[in-house]
Amino acid sequence: QAPIVVTSEDTFDVESELFEWSGGSFVVALSSLAGAGFESDMEDLCLLPNARCDCDDDQTFGLDFFGECSTYDVGGRNNGFCETDGACDACPLACAAECGTDCV
């Protein structure tokens, strides 16, 4: 089966359908889920078992001076300067090796 290519944002503004794999292809299991008692709620993924949300790098750190967290990762221009620049707390993933965090 050929992949479906979405070319219009309007595609996401239609009623929902639930598909299931059957007989070698996807078939519509439920159509028009909107208003049928189905609700979609954002789930707090940090509450799931083994979640590592404390390992997210701060997306605003260093934008004004040092450089964003990705620059402290292995091969980045700031690699090796996490402690010097005070990036250990803000960039626990990018600075894991240098700062000794368990975010690997």
Side-chain angles (χ1 to χ4, degrees):
Q1 180 175 350
I4 298 172
V5 178
V6 177
T7 58
S8 169
E9 290 182 16
D10 296 335
T11 303
F12 300 104
D13 293 330
V14 297
E15 294 199 16
S16 301
E17 293 181 328
L18 177 65
F19 293 88
E20 67 180 17
W21 187 256
S22 177
S25 64
F26 286 105
V27 294
V28 176
L30 292 171
S31 184
S32 301
L33 294 177
F38 291 93
E39 294 183 18
S40 178
D41 294 321
M42 177 82 60
E43 186 176 357
D44 187 351
L45 300 177
C46 293
L47 298 177
L48 295 174
N50 301 321
R52 309 244 342 236
C53 295
D54 55 336
C55 290
D56 288 339
D57 287 341
D58 182 348
Q59 299 301 311
T60 61
F61 177 81
L63 296 178
D64 55 347
F65 187 70
F66 297 116
E68 60 190 32
C69 287
S70 63
T71 64
Y72 290 90
D73 210 346
V74 175
R77 71 176 187 267
N78 286 322
N79 183 248
F81 293 98
C82 292
E83 290 184 10
T84 303
D85 294 348
C88 289
D89 289 336
C91 308
L93 187 59
C95 294
E98 181 182 344
C99 299
T101 68
D102 63 352
C103 298
V104 289

